[in-house]
Amino acid sequence: MGSWTHCQSARKESGLWPLLVSTLYGPGRPTALAAVDALNLHDALKRNWRSYRTSQLRQLATPQEPEDLPKGVEPWDEDPGAPFDRWPGLAAGIPSLAGADPDAAARTTVARLMAGPYPLPKPHLALVPATRSADIPAVMGWQAEAPLPLLCALLRSWEDRYGAQAVAFDGATIHISVARPPRNTDHATHLALEHVLTGADNINDGTAPYPDYAASLLNSPLWSFWWD
């Protein structure tokens, strides 16, 4: 933890972002940041919303019958999905004065990832030549199945809106510290849609119903996403 904190404090002089790495898919070929620059986040998520909404309506029209479930699996309540019938746009940000300093939030999250109840296995310290935390996945050529230009564009926006920073990779999982998470149910419900539209498997595999996932974002200083 001491090394990570030292590298964080020297980041502006060194140009290197500290990152915890447990098991990395890579090394891979970096994604050009020009692809991130060129992506219009609002329009990209709106396109993903249309695909998501089509799938949602199809699922609601043909709910899964208990006999269709794998053997030994009990039926569950049908996931209603996101409660929007049209694209709601990006969720509102939270002013920087309303939360913790992003660097302080990152330190707290890293400490949790290293020594919390579910620590990263054998984490190593990586130093990434990036000008901002959001660009780390692209600069490293992270080889999960994540859509890197979209993910980095979203992380850039979350940096501004929520004080988010990418702090760790563990295989196909990225961990993000959040200085200013949503603090009411309506906000979390809106923001959860952006999480879903990343295509991350931990959000879209049906394990957690949408309302439950949205509730998990309330005051949460750590967001994690993985792609199988």
Side-chain angles (χ1 to χ4, degrees):
M1 180 65 195
S3 297
W4 194 96
T5 301
H6 172 75
C7 292
Q8 184 197 48
S9 65
R11 184 184 69 224
K12 291 183 179 179
E13 291 73 25
S14 68
L16 301 172
W17 278 83
L19 181 78
L20 289 182
V21 176
S22 181
T23 304
L24 183 64
Y25 286 7
R29 178 177 297 178
T31 294
L33 293 181
V36 183
D37 298 338
L39 190 144
N40 183 302
L41 179 62
H42 180 277
D43 291 349
L45 290 183
K46 186 175 183 179
R47 287 192 296 271
N48 287 1
W49 154 256
R50 290 171 180 154
S51 297
Y52 170 81
R53 181 61 174 165
T54 298
S55 176
Q56 181 188 38
L57 291 174
R58 186 184 304 118
Q59 179 179 341
L60 293 175
T62 56
Q64 189 173 35
E65 297 296 332
E67 59 267 22
D68 295 331
L69 297 175
K71 185 178 179 179
V73 176
E74 294 295 324
W76 56 85
D77 292 336
E78 195 70 32
D79 181 3
F84 306 103
D85 58 10
R86 63 184 63 188
W87 167 238
L90 300 179
I94 297 176
S96 58
L97 295 178
D101 171 73
D103 286 347
R107 289 192 294 272
T108 299
T109 301
V110 165
R112 173 180 173 182
L113 290 171
M114 294 184 69
Y118 303 103
L120 292 179
K122 298 180 180 179
H124 302 277
L125 175 64
L127 298 176
V128 185
T131 57
R132 56 192 302 177
S133 164
D135 294 342
I136 287 175
V139 171
M140 292 191 70
W142 185 38
Q143 291 194 78
E145 295 299 320
L148 291 185
L150 174 63
L151 176 62
C152 290
L154 195 54
L155 289 175
R156 286 179 176 183
S157 182
W158 287 346
E159 277 185 4
D160 297 335
R161 286 184 285 157
Y162 308 113
Q165 292 186 12
V167 295
F169 285 153
D170 180 14
T173 300
I174 183 172
H175 297 289
I176 299 165
S177 67
V178 187
R180 305 185 299 276
R183 295 186 178 135
N184 65 67
T185 299
D186 287 345
H187 193 183
T189 298
H190 190 169
L191 175 60
L193 182 60
E194 295 180 26
H195 289 216
V196 167
L197 297 181
T198 65
D201 290 302
N202 63 309
I203 304 165
N204 291 285
D205 65 0
T207 301
Y210 188 95
D212 292 350
Y213 181 77
S216 75
L217 300 180
L218 285 172
N219 299 305
S220 175
L222 172 63
W223 298 342
S224 299
F225 304 86
W226 68 78
W227 287 261
D228 293 333

